[in-house]
């Protein structure tokens, strides 16, 4: 997401803690988040971290990438979000 050609990270919906009850560690281990408190903590971290990472990436891209490349990446990101929203509606799933 930091390269000029790649879109920013997609941010989760505000109700992400209600949509998922598992987490996956970097080594692939799946953990059940049985307590709502644990899900809310995990959601808080994700919902706070991703916008800040995107802000840092945007600053970098604004200062180091050609404008055409950044605009193309933004267009691709918009298309991907629309496709995912359509798929979510059809399949009935949430943010993944």
């Amino acid at each position: 997401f930091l390269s000029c050609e790649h879109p920013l990270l997609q941010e989760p919906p505000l109700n992400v803690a209600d949509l998922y009850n598992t987490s996956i560690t970097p080594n692939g281990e799946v953990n059940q988040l049985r307590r709502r408190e644990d899900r809310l903590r995990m959601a808080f971290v994700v919902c706070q971290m991703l916008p800040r990472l995107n802000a840092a990436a945007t600053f970098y891209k604004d200062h180091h990438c050609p404008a055409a490349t950044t605009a193309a990446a933004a267009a691709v990101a918009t298309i991907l979000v629309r496709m995912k929203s359509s798929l979510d509606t059809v399949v009935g799933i949430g943010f993944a």
Side-chain angles (χ1 to χ4, degrees):
F1 79 102
L2 283 176
S3 69
C4 295
E5 301 81 25
H6 289 91
L8 298 175
L9 299 170
Q10 183 180 353
E11 296 177 21
L14 295 178
N15 66 339
V16 68
D18 297 324
L19 298 176
Y20 294 94
N21 61 3
T22 58
S23 69
I24 301 174
T25 64
N27 66 359
E29 181 182 335
V30 177
N31 296 314
Q32 293 293 322
L33 301 173
R34 299 187 196 290
R35 297 183 322 158
R36 178 163 169 73
E37 181 181 346
D38 293 337
R39 292 191 305 273
L40 289 172
R41 286 180 178 161
M42 198 72 76
F44 176 80
V45 170
V46 170
C47 290
Q48 293 296 314
M49 183 176 51
L50 289 181
R52 286 165 174 74
L53 288 171
N54 281 339
T58 298
F59 180 86
Y60 173 83
K61 290 178 182 192
D62 287 347
H63 290 86
H64 298 285
C65 297
T69 304
T70 305
V76 168
T78 301
I79 291 168
L80 291 174
V81 167
R82 287 183 183 157
M83 288 172 59
K84 183 171 183 337
S85 293
S86 297
L87 180 61
D88 289 352
T89 301
V90 171
V91 179
I93 59 173
F95 179 83

